[in-house]
């Protein structure tokens, strides 16, 4: 099923030595879209705004017929209400939680227990991502590929409308990055959830994306050579 992601965001960030203005407007219907640009161009800021992690942002975010943000109509869903799965640059797994507990996190409100359906979903994801033998392990004992699988499974546990992947391969050395790029492409094909991938690496775009949007200095620009 084709899902349209429609994004219009405006945000001004100020620090003592810099004022950064984000002003982007794009629409994509691709299953996997790359947001590409140099460091500091605003890529991660876009992802944070879509996920509901950036205060004071103006504009709109629509995923299919769902409105996550529309400040002209007073709509601004909380991050937990948006059903957007995020895979962070360093995976951001909770170091004191087991693999299973990391997957469970975020599926229910604080102090509540998972219901039978939620437990079944966690079990299904553990099997799907070949994490059965790692279920009780801690993140510090996992390889880079294993941490990537746990992070993606955790993002999918909430049955998201959209996956956001923020430079998920950038912290890895070149040989591991090449192998995990291929594994990530296979996993994204399998789960069939629309994904927006932030990267500055053309090889990520070639291997992982069906569409590419380029950003520089907070603006959408033409993609040279693509």
């Amino acid at each position: 099923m084709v899902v349209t992601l429609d994004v219009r965001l405006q945000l001004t960030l100020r620090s003592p030595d810099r004022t950064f203005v984000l002003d982007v407007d794009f629409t994509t219907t691709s299953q996997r879209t790359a947001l590409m640009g140099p460091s500091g161009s605003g890529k991660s800021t876009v992802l944070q705004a879509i996920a509901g992690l950036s205060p004071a942002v103006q504009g709109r975010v629509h995923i299919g017929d769902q409105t996550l943000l529309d400040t002209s109509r007073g709509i601004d869903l909380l991050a937990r209400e948006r059903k957007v799965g995020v895979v962070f640059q360093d995976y951001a797994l909770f170091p004191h939680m087991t693999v299973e507990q990391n997957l469970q996190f975020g599926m229910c409100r604080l102090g509540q227990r998972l219901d039978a359906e939620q437990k079944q979903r966690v079990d299904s994801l553990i099997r799907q991502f070949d994490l059965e033998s790692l279920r009780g392990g801690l993140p510090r004992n996992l390889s880079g590929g294993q941490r990537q699988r746990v992070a993606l499974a955790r993002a999918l546990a909430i049955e998201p409308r959209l996956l956001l992947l923020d430079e998920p391969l950038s912290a890895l050395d070149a040989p591991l990055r090449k192998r995990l790029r291929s594994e990530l492409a296979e996993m994204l094909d399998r789960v069939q959830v629309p994904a927006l991938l932030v990267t500055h690496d053309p090889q990520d775009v070639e291997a992982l994306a069906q569409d590419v949007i380029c950003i520089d200095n907070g603006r959408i620009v033409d993609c040279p050579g693509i």
Side-chain angles (χ1 to χ4, degrees):
M1 182 179 69
V2 175
V3 177
T4 300
L5 172 63
D6 177 40
V7 175
R8 174 75 172 100
L9 297 171
Q10 294 177 310
L11 179 65
T12 300
L13 300 173
R14 292 184 173 88
S15 67
D17 57 353
R18 185 188 183 199
T19 296
F20 177 78
V21 178
L22 179 76
D23 190 350
V24 298
D25 191 346
F26 65 87
T27 301
T28 179
T29 58
S30 295
Q31 188 74 9
R32 300 199 306 258
T33 301
L35 187 61
M36 184 178 176
S39 296
S41 60
K43 305 184 302 297
S44 294
T45 303
V46 171
L47 256 63
Q48 292 165 6
I50 292 173
L53 302 175
S54 289
V57 66
Q58 298 293 310
R60 67 177 186 273
V61 177
H62 302 297
I63 304 173
D65 60 357
Q66 302 292 318
T67 300
L68 310 188
L69 173 73
D70 190 335
T71 50
S72 69
R73 297 161 55 198
I75 299 172
D76 186 1
L77 299 186
L78 297 174
R80 66 174 179 268
E81 298 172 335
R82 296 193 179 199
K83 294 199 72 174
V84 172
V86 184
V87 177
F88 296 96
Q89 185 171 351
D90 60 357
Y91 303 135
L93 300 177
F94 297 104
H96 62 290
M97 292 184 180
T98 66
V99 166
E100 182 174 19
Q101 289 168 339
N102 266 279
L103 265 64
Q104 293 172 346
F105 184 84
M107 294 184 71
C108 60
R109 292 185 180 277
L110 189 65
Q112 293 181 331
R113 294 181 179 274
L114 268 63
D115 60 30
E117 183 178 341
Q118 289 170 323
K119 290 179 180 178
Q120 187 176 35
R121 178 159 181 78
V122 169
D123 288 341
S124 176
L125 286 166
I126 285 175
R127 290 192 302 271
Q128 183 179 358
F129 286 90
D130 194 21
L131 298 169
E132 197 65 64
S133 64
L134 306 173
R135 180 189 289 260
L138 294 174
R140 66 172 176 267
N141 298 320
L142 304 180
S143 69
Q146 290 166 341
R147 288 196 297 271
Q148 183 189 77
R149 297 206 308 271
V150 174
L152 186 55
R154 184 180 65 180
L156 290 166
I158 62 169
E159 298 183 90
R161 303 181 178 105
L162 176 71
L163 276 174
L164 302 176
L165 298 96
D166 191 0
E167 302 256 19
L169 304 172
S170 64
L172 308 174
D173 59 51
L176 183 57
R177 187 162 62 244
K178 181 178 180 181
R179 177 170 65 81
L180 294 190
R181 189 182 287 124
S182 176
E183 291 185 9
L184 181 57
E186 292 176 4
M187 286 188 286
L188 291 175
D189 279 340
R190 190 163 67 239
V191 300
Q192 288 297 298
V193 175
L196 181 63
L197 167 78
V198 155
T199 185
H200 62 272
D201 189 336
Q203 294 183 54
D204 288 346
V205 174
E206 183 177 356
L208 298 170
Q210 300 158 335
D211 190 14
V212 57
I213 297 165
C214 291
I215 183 172
D216 192 14
N217 196 30
R219 303 288 195 278
I220 301 299
V221 297
D222 292 335
C223 297
I226 297 179

